[in-house]
Amino acid sequence: MKNKQLILTKRPLGVPDADTWHLNEADVPALEDGEFLVENVFVSIDPTMRGWINDRKSYMPPVALGEVMRAAGTVGKVLQSKHEDFLPGHYVLGSGGIQLYTISNGKGWHRVDPTLAPLHKYLSVLGMTGFTAYFGLLDVGQPKTGETILVSGAAGAVGSIVGQIGKIKGCRMIGIAGGEEKCRKLIETYQYDGAIDYKSQKVSTKIKELCPEGVDIYFDNVGGDILDAALARLNFKGRVVLCGGISQYNATSVKGPANYLSLLANRGRMEGFIVFDFARRYGEAAKQLAEWVAAGDIYSDEQIEKGIENFYPTFLKLFSGEKTGKLILQVNDL
Ligand SMILES: NC(=O)c1ccc[n+]([C@@H]2O[C@H](COP(=O)([O-])OP(=O)(O)OC[C@H]3O[C@@H](n4cnc5c(N)ncnc54)[C@H](OP(=O)(O)O)[C@@H]3O)[C@@H](O)[C@H]2O)c1
């Protein structure tokens, strides 16, 4: 049996080019006791992958040169097993990397049930993406009914869920996204009360107009100039949830917030978090999100691209905005 694996070959400066990775063919080795073989089907494609290929201290070690590219999550089917808990035919969620087949010892892997939800949803609203929105907004942001919450990257995987959780909690939600179509989607599908098109509108002016009583929580997915514009409108005791900074991930020199003194003047708080911090409570988030989805209170979008050879153009879509909702690469048929 032949595997195809995406191997990291160099550390890019700025936007990665196509030869940052290459596709390798290798034999699938025989299983040892305690191992099982997974045929990966869906692979989560995330902005954080850009950080993993820098040789820099972060929340987890970088992917080494010559190693299979890491994926935050993969869903697949067990084909062969010498493990007592994971048996052929089981569907499993883990971190299988960008490759057609993965051999695992089960550490960090869980079974998922394809009869409860379509399998790709376990990488989206019912997985890390949903958990990030849930814990980031509820635990780090601590919203109160009636507050105004501003969200950047609002039509992305995390932002689209944050908007809907905020509405469930009785908050006024304003989203920022790129382009007219995405802004329409914010209001018509993701339940935002107002939308700002950062590509064609002046963000600071629009925040003033759509948040006339200021911003109680700013959920930041993008950083850069938009973070500064939000800080300028932060309310007394306002919270900035530092979830991501995608506008800076390819920057060779990261732009920090010039308006940080707004936190001082407003006795505000800006707090970063990594979803893994909440790993012990994933069960709580999964149950609650599944209930909201079943009740029709939360809708999630996934954009599924096909073929491991299409990893690179798919990856670029994270930064060009040619996507809505959660980006997923399907590497094998279901
Ligand atoms: N802290 C954590 O544990 C954690 C976990 C998951 C994700 N994250 C972070 O959360 C953020 C959102 O993740 P996601 O999974 O929702 O990603 P995503 O689906 O790719 O959404 C991010 C959105 O950012 C927008 N964007 C891209 N470049 C931009 C730029 N230069 N300026 C402004 N907006 C830009 C894009 O939409 P437009 O078309 O609107 O530009 C895109 O839809 C990322 O920064 C990610 O790294 C953090």
Side-chain angles (χ1 to χ4, degrees):
M1 189 182 252
K2 287 277 181 206
N3 200 0
K4 280 188 184 168
Q5 307 177 300
L6 194 84
I7 305 292
L8 181 67
T9 50
K10 66 175 193 186
R11 301 217 177 272
L13 205 62
V15 180
D17 52 28
D19 58 6
T20 302
W21 298 272
H22 87 271
L23 208 51
N24 194 43
E25 262 202 19
D27 290 328
V28 175
L31 292 181
E32 307 216 339
D33 283 343
E35 292 182 337
F36 57 95
L37 173 71
V38 184
E39 181 182 57
N40 298 315
V41 179
F42 297 112
V43 177
S44 179
I45 304 294
D46 297 283
T48 196
M49 288 170 148
R50 177 62 189 88
W52 293 340
I53 58 178
N54 290 330
D55 191 9
R56 203 177 290 152
K57 183 178 175 298
S58 186
Y59 65 95
M60 63 198 303
V63 177
L65 293 177
E67 224 173 59
V68 174
M69 183 61 195
R70 182 188 296 146
T74 53
V75 173
K77 186 178 184 178
V78 177
L79 291 186
Q80 300 168 9
S81 180
K82 289 190 175 182
H83 191 291
E84 58 186 20
D85 298 327
F86 296 93
L87 304 177
H90 284 170
Y91 288 97
V92 288
L93 169 68
S95 185
I98 317 276
Q99 54 184 339
L100 298 186
Y101 303 101
T102 302
I103 289 181
S104 167
N105 60 13
K107 200 167 165 237
W109 287 72
H110 307 275
R111 281 185 64 188
V112 287
D113 188 343
T115 64
L116 293 180
L119 284 170
H120 60 270
K121 295 278 178 190
Y122 292 101
L123 298 177
S124 171
V125 61
L126 301 180
M128 190 200 72
T129 294
F131 303 165
T132 303
Y134 180 91
F135 292 114
L137 183 62
L138 300 182
D139 279 69
V140 185
Q142 299 183 4
K144 295 178 200 69
T145 307
E147 285 191 324
T148 298
I149 303 179
L150 178 69
V151 182
S152 57
V158 173
S160 57
I161 308 293
V162 170
Q164 298 172 80
I165 298 177
K167 285 312 290 177
I168 291 168
K169 296 295 170 186
C171 298
R172 190 159 175 280
M173 303 301 298
I174 306 298
I176 305 174
E180 214 175 294
E181 200 183 318
K182 285 192 181 179
C183 284
R184 197 174 323 113
K185 193 147 198 184
L186 288 187
I187 291 170
E188 289 175 1
T189 309
Y190 304 137
Q191 298 180 38
Y192 277 89
D193 298 290
I196 299 172
D197 177 357
Y198 77 92
K199 288 189 174 162
S200 71
Q201 296 175 320
K202 192 162 181 339
V203 175
S204 52
T205 309
K206 288 301 288 183
I207 296 178
K208 216 169 173 176
E209 185 187 314
L210 293 176
C211 309
E213 291 173 18
V215 172
D216 298 301
I217 298 176
Y218 171 52
F219 193 104
D220 191 19
N221 284 315
V222 309
D225 293 337
I226 295 179
L227 170 57
D228 263 330
L231 278 171
R233 298 297 300 164
L234 200 67
N235 281 341
F236 180 73
K237 290 283 180 191
R239 287 84 77 200
V240 176
V241 179
L242 197 47
C243 177
I246 194 168
S247 75
Q248 303 300 304
Y249 289 174
N250 287 312
T252 44
S253 123
V254 171
K255 184 176 182 293
N259 286 341
Y260 81 97
L261 288 176
S262 169
L263 295 168
L264 171 63
N266 292 298
R267 289 72 138 187
R269 171 167 66 83
M270 177 157 154
E271 186 175 336
F273 78 102
I274 296 292
V275 65
F276 307 151
D277 304 343
F278 297 93
R280 271 178 299 156
R281 289 173 53 205
Y282 282 175
E284 165 200 325
K287 182 168 177 290
Q288 180 61 86
L289 287 160
E291 279 172 21
W292 282 332
V293 170
D297 294 331
I298 288 190
Y299 169 83
S300 75
D301 264 316
E302 295 80 28
Q303 181 167 322
I304 302 179
E305 305 285 328
K306 293 207 170 163
I308 193 167
E309 62 285 355
N310 288 324
F311 167 79
Y312 180 64
T314 303
F315 171 81
L316 289 183
K317 290 183 181 191
L318 293 167
F319 303 97
S320 66
E322 291 166 74
K323 58 164 281 294
T324 309
K326 174 77 192 176
L327 192 58
I328 289 173
L329 186 66
Q330 181 167 4
V331 297
N332 275 304
D333 289 338
L334 240 189

